[in-house]
Amino acid sequence: MRQKMDNEKNDPSCKSSDLKISNISIQVVSVPGKLPGRRPPRKPIGKPRPRKQPKKRAPFWNVQNKIILFTAFLFILAVTAWTLLWLYISKTESKDAFYFVGMFRITNIEFLPEYRQKESREFLSMAKTVQQVVNLVYTTSAFSKFYKQSVVADVSSNNKGGLLVHFWIVFVMPHAKGHIFCEECVAAILKDSIQTSIINRTSVGSLQGLAVDMDSVVLNAGLRSDYSSAVGSDNGCSRYLYADHLTLRYPLEISATSGQLMCHFKLVAIVGYLIRLSIESIQLEADNCITDSLTVYDSLLPIRSAILYRICEPTRTLMSFVSTNNLMLVTLKSPYVRRLAGIRAYFEVIPEQKCESTILVKEINSFEGKISSPYYPSYYPPKCKCTWTFQTSLSTLGIALKFYNYSITKKSAKGCEHGWWEINEHMYCGSYMDHETIFRVPSPLVHIQLQCSSRLSDKPLLVEYGGYNISQPCPAGSFRCSSGLCVPQAQRCDGVNDCFDESDELFCVTVKPACNSSIFRQHGPLVCDGFRDCEDGQDEQNCTRSIPCTSRTFKCGNDICFRKQNAQCDGIVDCPDGSDEEGCGCSRSSSFLHRIVGGSDSQEGTWPWQVSLHFVGSAYCGASVISREWLLSAAHCFHGNRLSDPTPWTAHLGMYVQGNAKFVSPVRRIVVHEYYNSQTFDYDIALLQLSIAWPETLKQLIQPICIPPAGQKVRSGEKCWVTGWGRRHETDSKGSPVLQQAEVELIDQTVCVSTYGIITSRMLCAGVMSGKSDACKGDSGGPLSCRRKSDGKWILTGIVSWGHGCGRPNFPGVYTRVSNFVPWIHKYVPSLL
Ligand code: 4AZ
C-alpha cells in the first residue's frame, strides 16, 4: 500500500493531473451552489480563499485523533498507576519498623520522686538528655540511615543507686534490608560507645558524658505490640503500682481491666527491697503462649533477657517469684478479657535474703535440719549464690543431704541447667526429678556452694541434712539404693519400686525362704510379702511395714492379703469383707471371642477399651481404658513441649469409625513415666486422666481392660491382638477410618533381642515373622490385648511402642511390657487395686 502511494508521488503525469484538478476546484468553489449535481471536492486543494470559502473542516473524532487521544489516555493512566504504586511501596516500607527495648543504670545522678511523673519538668528533662545521648550514639553509627528515635519510658530508683533508665529505640528500614539488622549489633553499638577507663577498673564508663554502669546495659529486640502498649496510646491497661509497706499484700487487680489485649503492671518497691509476686490461680487458654500468657520480668519494660518466668496455661497451684531489684513488670496477654477475670495474684515487698550459714551437725543416721534455695518456697531468681558449711561432731561422720525431687550428679561437659553445686571442691549439676535422692559426703567438714544457673527463675529447692556413719551409710537392716536412699531390706525384690530408680528390684534371685518348718507353698523370692510361704509363718514375722499384696495375693479391705485362686472378681467372695468382688471393672466377657474375626476390619464393640487420642482435633495415638477416668498409653505420644500439655488432647471412647465416638473427654492430666527415654523408647508408658469420667450408662460400649499381675511372665507363641486406627501399610499417608485388628504372636525375648539388640526388660516383641500382621504409625499407645484362658479376661499385655517399619518380615512390633509397670500404675490409680 505504501509502495503504491510513493509511486504515485513520483509519477509526473500524476502531478499534472493534480494541478488541473486543483484549478478546477478553485473555479467551482468560487460559485458555490450554482452547479447543482456537482459535488465539491472533499479537501480544498491549492490556495484557499479564507474570506469567502465556508470551511468544511474534517470531523474532530476521526480515527487519527482517536488514536492520539487513546495513547494519551493510556500514558496518563500508566503514570497515575506508577505514582500510586510508588506511593504505596514507600508507605508500606516506612511501616517496617524495628523496635529495641533496653535499660542501663546512670550512676552519678540521684533519683528524684518527680521522675515518677511523666509530665514533670524533671522527667522530661532527664528523658531528653538520655534521648539525645542515644541519638548521638546511633546517628554516628553504621545504622544511622535507619535510626528513627529513642523514647525513654521510665526513670526509676533501684537497689544499686543512681537511676535506672528504661527506653525504646526505633529503627525504620525497607523490609528487604531487615536481614542486615541483628540484635547483637544494635546492642554492641551502645555498649561500645561507653568509654571505660582501664586504670580505675570500675564497670562505670562514660556514655557521651553520662556515667553508665557497663554491667547494667541490656538491649534486646522488642515487639511492636509491646512498644505500642507501653509507649503508644493504647496504654489504658498499663499501670504503675507502688509498694511502700513491708507487711502489706498488694493485690494485682487484673479483673478490673477490661477490653484489653495486653496489660502491663509495673511494680515498684521502696529502695533496698525486693518484690515477691504470688500467683494463686490463673485462667489462661493453654496454647503455648501464642495468644495467652502471663510474663514476669525483672525490669520495668518487656526485655526478653530479663524474663523471670512465663505462665502459659491455667494453674491453681500457688507460685511465687522474686525480683533481683526493687522493680518488676507483669504482662498479661489474652485476646478475650473474660479470661483475665480468673487471675488471683498479689505482690509484697520483701527484704533481700543472705543465703549462707555454718551448721553444726550432731545426729547420726537421721535428718536434723533443712537448707533451701533463696526465698523458699518461692521460685529462686536466676542470679543467686548460697554457701553452707557443715561441721559434724565426730570425725567418723559424714554429711547426708536429702534432696526433694532433685538430684545432683557429677558435672559433665554439657552445661548445668538447674544450679551448679561445688561440694568440697568437686563440681556437680542439679536436675529435677519426681522423687527424693540422698547425696552423702564422706567428710566431717563440708563446704557447699550453690550457684543458680538457669535463665529463668527455678523451682524451689529443699534439702534435709544430717550426719551418717561413713563406714556404714545405711542403718543395719536396710538396703542402699542407687539414689542414695536407704530402704528396709525387706522391701528389696518385692516387686515395688521403693528406691524410685528400681535399684531395689534389680538382680533379684529366687531365694528359698528359710523356713524352720516345712514350706507351705513357696510363691516368690522374699519374706514379708504378705504371703505365708512357711508353714509356721516365719517368713512373715518381724515385718516392719504395711505389706503390699503380690500378684498371687489379694489385699482385702482389712489389710490382710488373701490368696487368689482366680478369686478376684470371679463372683465368689474370698475376702471376709467381700472386697475381692468389689470394683470388678475389667473386660472378661468371653462373648467377645466369637466376634473377633480374621481380616483387618474389626467389628463394632469388639474392643471396648480401645481409645483414640486426638491432638488438636486429629487422631494421633491410641490408648486403653483401664478405669472410669484413667487411660494407659505410650510416653512417646506426649514427648515435646506441646504434646506434653494435656489441653490440646481429647480422648475418644467407644469409637469404631474414626470421629464417631460414643464419648469424648478432654484430658486433665498426662503422667509420662519419669524414666522414659526418647532415644531408646525405654519406659514407653504414660497414664492419662480424663477430665470427665465415662458414664456407667455406656458400659456396654466402653469397658476397661485388665492390667496384668505385676511381673507376669508371657508365653512366647501366645496369640494376642493389636488394634488401632493407624496406617494399614508402611507407605500409607493416613490412618484407617475403621478400627483395625490384627492377630499377632508373642515372640521370644531372645529372638526379639537378637533382632533389634536394644530391647530392654520393659519391652516385648509381638508380630508374625512373615510380617503379615503388625501395628504401624498411628497405632502407638494402643493395646496389645491377650485373652487369659483361665478366666476369659482380656489383659493389657503390651502398649504399641515402636518397630522397624511396619509389617516387614522378621521385624516384629515392639510393645511396652505392661506387667513391669503395675506398681507404677497403682501409684497413680490406686482404685485399680
Ligand atoms: C509408630 O510410628 C509405629 N511396626 C508404631 C508401631 C510400629 C512401627 C511404628 C511397629 O507409631
Side-chain angles (χ1 to χ4, degrees):
M1 180 69 175
R2 228 183 109 147
Q3 183 66 46
K4 196 177 168 215
M5 276 165 59
D6 286 351
N7 289 346
E8 280 170 3
K9 269 188 208 163
N10 297 335
D11 187 348
S13 63
C14 278
K15 252 185 194 164
S16 65
S17 111
D18 253 355
L19 276 172
K20 272 182 206 160
I21 290 163
S22 130
N23 290 342
I24 292 164
S25 96
I26 289 166
Q27 283 172 352
V28 170
V29 169
S30 64
V31 265
K34 297 241 164 139
L35 287 171
R38 284 202 68 176
R39 283 180 67 198
R42 275 185 193 188
K43 269 191 197 169
I45 303 168
K47 234 180 176 183
R49 289 198 186 161
R51 201 163 37 91
K52 282 189 180 166
Q53 191 180 347
K55 257 194 179 166
K56 276 268 177 188
R57 290 228 253 97
F60 174 76
W61 210 231
N62 62 22
V63 177
Q64 202 177 352
N65 284 358
K66 271 184 189 169
I67 290 169
I68 292 166
L69 276 173
F70 185 65
T71 316
F73 172 74
L74 278 185
F75 177 75
I76 292 165
L77 198 72
V79 169
T80 319
W82 175 250
T83 315
L84 286 175
L85 193 69
W86 185 82
L87 277 174
Y88 174 77
I89 291 168
S90 57
K91 205 171 166 211
T92 44
E93 271 193 343
S94 73
K95 270 193 185 166
D96 223 348
F98 293 82
Y99 299 88
F100 286 81
V101 56
M103 62 177 168
F104 56 65
R105 187 171 70 92
I106 302 174
T107 59
N108 62 348
I109 305 177
E110 280 312 302
F111 177 76
L112 298 174
E114 288 79 6
Y115 289 142
R116 282 184 179 176
Q117 255 52 61
K118 297 288 166 64
E119 298 79 29
S120 71
R121 214 161 27 85
E122 289 78 3
F123 174 84
L124 292 172
S125 146
M126 179 49 65
K128 194 171 164 205
T129 309
V130 174
Q131 277 156 208
Q132 277 169 351
V133 165
V134 178
N135 287 352
L136 209 59
V137 167
Y138 287 100
T139 49
T140 52
S141 75
F143 292 137
S144 60
K145 256 204 322 196
F146 310 119
Y147 176 76
K148 187 160 181 243
Q149 62 174 351
S150 63
V151 180
V152 170
D154 289 285
V155 175
S156 61
S157 61
N158 73 97
N159 292 350
K160 286 193 169 166
L163 299 180
L164 195 61
V165 183
H166 287 78
F167 54 89
W168 288 91
I169 302 178
V170 188
F171 293 88
V172 176
M173 63 166 61
H175 187 74
K177 289 195 176 158
H179 66 276
I180 64 160
F181 231 47
C182 76
E183 190 182 56
E184 295 79 37
C185 316
V186 177
I189 289 172
L190 184 62
K191 286 181 188 168
D192 291 349
S193 307
I194 303 172
Q195 311 287 319
T196 45
S197 150
I198 307 162
I199 301 152
N200 53 19
R201 284 169 171 260
T202 68
S203 67
V204 178
S206 167
L207 180 66
Q208 310 288 348
L210 285 180
V212 170
D213 177 0
M214 273 288 281
D215 298 340
S216 70
V217 182
V218 185
L219 192 61
N220 287 171
L223 298 176
R224 179 201 299 270
S225 53
D226 280 337
Y227 175 78
S228 31
S229 52
V231 173
S233 52
D234 64 338
N235 59 355
C237 192
S238 300
R239 57 178 110 121
Y240 286 85
L241 298 165
Y242 295 100
D244 309 324
H245 288 90
L246 269 175
T247 48
L248 287 183
R249 279 182 177 186
Y250 297 85
L252 223 59
E253 277 162 352
I254 289 158
S255 53
T257 63
S258 62
Q260 297 298 324
L261 184 73
M262 183 173 232
C263 303
H264 290 231
F265 296 90
K266 296 183 177 185
L267 319 180
V268 183
I270 31 176
V271 178
Y273 289 87
L274 307 178
I275 291 174
R276 187 202 321 255
L277 172 76
S278 299
I279 294 160
E280 294 174 310
S281 67
I282 183 161
Q283 292 286 310
L284 286 173
E285 190 82 350
D287 66 347
N288 266 355
C289 271
I290 295 162
T291 57
D292 287 34
S293 64
L294 179 142
T295 313
V296 185
Y297 294 88
D298 203 21
S299 54
L300 284 181
L301 284 184
I303 303 173
R304 198 186 61 247
S305 58
I307 292 179
L308 287 176
Y309 205 76
R310 178 166 269 182
I311 301 176
C312 301
E313 54 190 48
T315 173
R316 286 177 186 279
T317 322
L318 177 72
M319 284 194 275
S320 58
F321 309 97
V322 178
S323 63
T324 64
N325 214 329
N326 65 329
L327 19 104
M328 189 183 262
L329 169 73
V330 183
T331 64
L332 261 163
K333 273 194 213 173
S334 182
Y336 305 113
V337 168
R338 61 183 162 77
R339 291 184 195 157
L340 296 185
I343 296 173
R344 282 190 28 211
Y346 60 89
F347 72 99
E348 299 154 284
V349 180
I350 59 162
E352 215 168 312
Q353 270 178 21
K354 282 271 166 294
C355 190
E356 52 185 50
S357 54
T358 302
I359 299 157
L360 200 63
V361 178
K362 295 179 238 70
E363 298 286 321
I364 305 175
N365 290 337
S366 75
F367 292 97
E368 61 182 74
K370 287 174 184 161
I371 54 169
S372 58
S373 52
Y375 311 104
Y376 186 87
S378 298
Y379 277 55
Y380 60 86
K383 296 169 212 155
C384 79
K385 204 174 202 169
C386 293
T387 49
W388 297 282
T389 303
F390 292 94
Q391 169 82 69
T392 61
S393 52
L394 290 169
S395 62
T396 52
L397 296 185
I399 296 294
L401 301 165
K402 189 202 275 183
F403 292 95
Y404 284 91
N405 296 342
Y406 190 77
S407 147
I408 56 170
T409 45
K410 272 245 176 303
K411 189 176 181 325
S412 63
K414 279 207 294 174
C416 222
E417 284 250 321
H418 300 287
W420 62 263
W421 296 73
E422 191 185 322
I423 302 180
N424 283 359
E425 286 163 15
H426 292 280
M427 302 300 297
Y428 301 89
C429 276
S431 51
Y432 291 92
M433 43 187 52
D434 80 333
H435 59 82
E436 56 200 43
T437 56
I438 296 185
F439 188 85
R440 292 185 181 83
V441 194
S443 164
L445 183 65
V446 179
H447 295 286
I448 300 179
Q449 193 178 81
L450 160 69
Q451 285 213 23
C452 310
S453 56
S454 68
R455 265 191 323 107
L456 309 174
S457 287
D458 227 334
K459 274 186 257 172
L461 293 177
L462 188 64
V463 187
E464 274 192 88
Y465 61 81
Y468 79 98
N469 189 342
I470 295 173
S471 58
Q472 197 184 356
C474 282
S478 62
F479 167 78
R480 189 175 165 203
C481 309
S482 306
S483 60
L485 294 174
C486 301
V487 296
Q489 193 67 43
Q491 283 173 227
R492 183 149 150 64
C493 295
D494 62 352
V496 180
N497 182 7
D498 303 283
C499 279
F500 300 107
D501 56 9
E502 288 198 335
S503 52
D504 58 326
E505 297 302 316
L506 290 176
F507 312 112
C508 296
V509 285
T510 310
V511 270
K512 239 183 182 184
C515 300
N516 287 342
S517 58
S518 61
I519 294 172
F520 169 55
R521 181 187 160 154
Q522 189 193 330
H523 95 287
L526 277 184
V527 295
C528 290
D529 57 2
F531 191 89
R532 245 176 73 180
D533 296 285
C534 299
E535 214 153 38
D536 59 3
Q538 192 203 344
D539 59 317
E540 292 301 305
Q541 279 166 14
N542 307 324
C543 296
T544 52
R545 65 187 188 105
S546 161
I547 300 153
C549 295
T550 67
S551 58
R552 301 212 182 184
T553 60
F554 173 74
K555 195 175 202 162
C556 300
N558 49 9
D559 231 10
I560 299 168
C561 296
F562 269 71
R563 191 185 316 183
K564 275 192 219 169
Q565 285 160 330
N566 300 330
Q568 202 183 346
C569 298
D570 60 354
I572 303 161
V573 175
D574 294 270
C575 289
D577 59 359
S579 48
D580 59 334
E581 290 304 313
E582 280 169 14
C584 301
C586 64
S587 255
R588 179 160 62 94
S589 168
S590 56
S591 64
F592 291 126
L593 188 64
H594 76 262
R595 285 199 267 144
I596 295 168
V597 288
S600 49
D601 277 10
S602 69
Q603 285 190 4
E604 190 162 12
T606 312
W607 311 105
W609 47 88
Q610 175 79 53
V611 177
S612 178
L613 293 178
H614 287 206
F615 181 74
V616 205
S618 303
Y620 196 84
C621 264
S624 307
V625 176
I626 58 162
S627 81
R628 292 284 303 284
E629 56 168 351
W630 287 92
L631 313 177
L632 204 55
S633 186
H636 78 258
C637 295
F638 313 101
H639 185 66
N641 257 356
R642 285 209 74 194
L643 294 168
S644 61
D645 174 8
T647 334
W649 289 95
T650 44
H652 297 238
L653 281 69
M655 189 164 93
Y656 175 60
V657 174
Q658 192 46 262
N660 298 338
K662 299 289 180 308
F663 179 77
V664 181
S665 167
V667 173
R668 178 194 301 250
R669 185 180 173 200
I670 300 171
V671 186
V672 168
H673 197 286
E674 44 279 24
Y675 299 147
Y676 166 63
N677 185 327
S678 58
Q679 313 280 300
T680 61
F681 278 43
D682 202 4
Y683 293 90
D684 193 9
I685 190 166
L687 276 163
L688 273 79
Q689 189 177 20
L690 299 177
S691 299
I692 313 156
W694 51 273
E696 191 75 25
T697 48
L698 289 177
K699 71 174 184 224
Q700 292 303 316
L701 301 154
I702 304 169
Q703 280 180 28
I705 185 166
C706 303
I707 295 301
Q712 187 198 41
K713 300 269 173 299
V714 295
R715 259 186 324 108
S716 54
E718 190 183 336
K719 299 273 200 291
C720 298
W721 291 86
V722 60
T723 45
W725 289 272
R727 296 179 186 184
R728 282 176 285 190
H729 301 284
E730 194 181 315
T731 48
D732 280 0
S733 58
K734 54 182 192 320
S736 160
V738 173
L739 179 62
Q740 300 291 296
Q741 61 182 27
E743 194 179 35
V744 286
E745 207 170 84
L746 301 186
I747 284 161
D748 183 80
Q749 194 75 351
T750 354
V751 175
C752 187
V753 171
S754 66
T755 307
Y756 286 114
I758 39 165
I759 298 294
T760 69
S761 59
R762 271 78 52 187
M763 302 173 189
L764 65 84
C765 279
V768 281
M769 280 314 190
S770 69
K772 207 180 107 240
S773 313
D774 195 6
C776 199
K777 206 170 161 62
D779 293 322
S780 281
L784 174 71
S785 315
C786 304
R787 193 164 185 266
R788 189 159 59 197
K789 284 210 174 67
S790 57
D791 57 1
K793 283 186 180 179
W794 283 96
I795 309 294
L796 184 65
T797 301
I799 297 168
V800 180
S801 179
W802 61 282
H804 177 55
C806 307
R808 296 191 184 190
N810 300 317
F811 286 103
V814 185
Y815 296 78
T816 310
R817 191 185 284 269
V818 178
S819 61
N820 270 24
F821 294 95
V822 177
W824 181 80
I825 296 168
H826 285 160
K827 191 167 119 191
Y828 295 96
V829 197
S831 60
L832 273 187
L833 272 172

